[in-house]
Amino acid sequence: MRIAFVVFDGMTALDFVGVYDPVTRLRTMGFLPDLEYDVCATIREVRDSSGLRVVADRVCGPFDAYDMVILPGGFGTRTLVDDGDFIGWIRTAERCAYKVSVCTGALLWGAAGFLRGRRATTHHDAADLLAQYGATYVGERVVEDGDLITAGGVSSALDLGLYLADKLAGAEARDRIRAQMAYRG
């Protein structure tokens, strides 16, 4: 299993870290020792909406070698939905088995054409924006529709990470990761 964690200027750091932590524990705790992952961006270093710097492992390569691509949200999504180069890059995830997002990262999947006719969630303040991409908003923490898995607002990133841990390695892995994180959500 190969996972791409996408980062970009203006993302919300917890959207990224909240899902990154439980998913990467699949490898560090021995559940999926062959799990590989990269932090990917269009530039080497990005800043979240508060100025936190994140350095990418991989810059601008296509996503066709990944099984899963995970997009965070944040106010940066509002301009990226109209950035043809960025959205073209996101479209290279078309053949990935799983397209995953937290919060307004769902809008990026929408701009790339992956939401039409799908059920999805996002931050409740952006719920109405999903309709412009042909999606039906579902007010749940995590929504799965085929190869698309979306999570609601910022704190749902942890729920998503544990959901993915269960999906990829089973309930025991999820429960042990949850316990290790001391997460009661």
Side-chain angles (χ1 to χ4, degrees), residues 103 106-107 115 117-132 134-141 143 150-153:
C103 198
L107 303 178
L115 290 186
R118 302 290 196 90
R119 296 169 49 252
T121 194
T122 188
H123 191 282
H124 57 87
D125 286 344
D128 59 323
L129 298 176
L130 290 178
Q132 71 189 19
T136 300
Y137 173 73
V138 179
E140 308 260 337
R141 302 278 289 170
V143 174
T150 54

Side-chain angles (χ1 to χ4, degrees), residues 2 38-41 43-44 56-63 66 89:
R2 291 196 70 210
D38 293 309
V39 175
C40 303
I43 55 178
R44 179 62 58 200
D57 300 314
R58 195 160 174 262
V59 177
C60 280
F63 295 116
Y66 292 96
W89 180 53

Side-chain angles (χ1 to χ4, degrees), residues 7-9 11 41 43-48 52-54:
V7 295
F8 50 83
D9 282 334
M11 71 174 181
I43 55 178
R44 179 62 58 200
E45 182 179 282
V46 302
R47 289 182 183 267
D48 83 333
L52 177 70
R53 291 184 299 203
V54 177

Side-chain angles (χ1 to χ4, degrees), residues 83-132:
D83 182 326
D85 291 336
F86 186 87
I87 296 303
W89 180 53
I90 297 302
R91 283 189 185 116
T92 68
E94 182 175 9
R95 292 194 173 124
C96 294
Y98 300 104
K99 296 162 193 66
V100 180
S101 63
V102 178
C103 198
T104 57
L107 303 178
L108 300 173
W109 289 128
F114 296 119
L115 290 186
R116 188 151 311 284
R118 302 290 196 90
R119 296 169 49 252
T121 194
T122 188
H123 191 282
H124 57 87
D125 286 344
D128 59 323
L129 298 176
L130 290 178
Q132 71 189 19

Side-chain angles (χ1 to χ4, degrees), residues 11-35:
M11 71 174 181
T12 299
L14 187 55
D15 287 3
F16 162 58
V17 175
V19 68
Y20 178 90
D21 187 274
V23 169
T24 59
R25 286 176 191 249
L26 288 168
R27 183 172 81 190
T28 62
M29 291 178 67
F31 298 110
L32 293 177
D34 295 334
L35 177 68

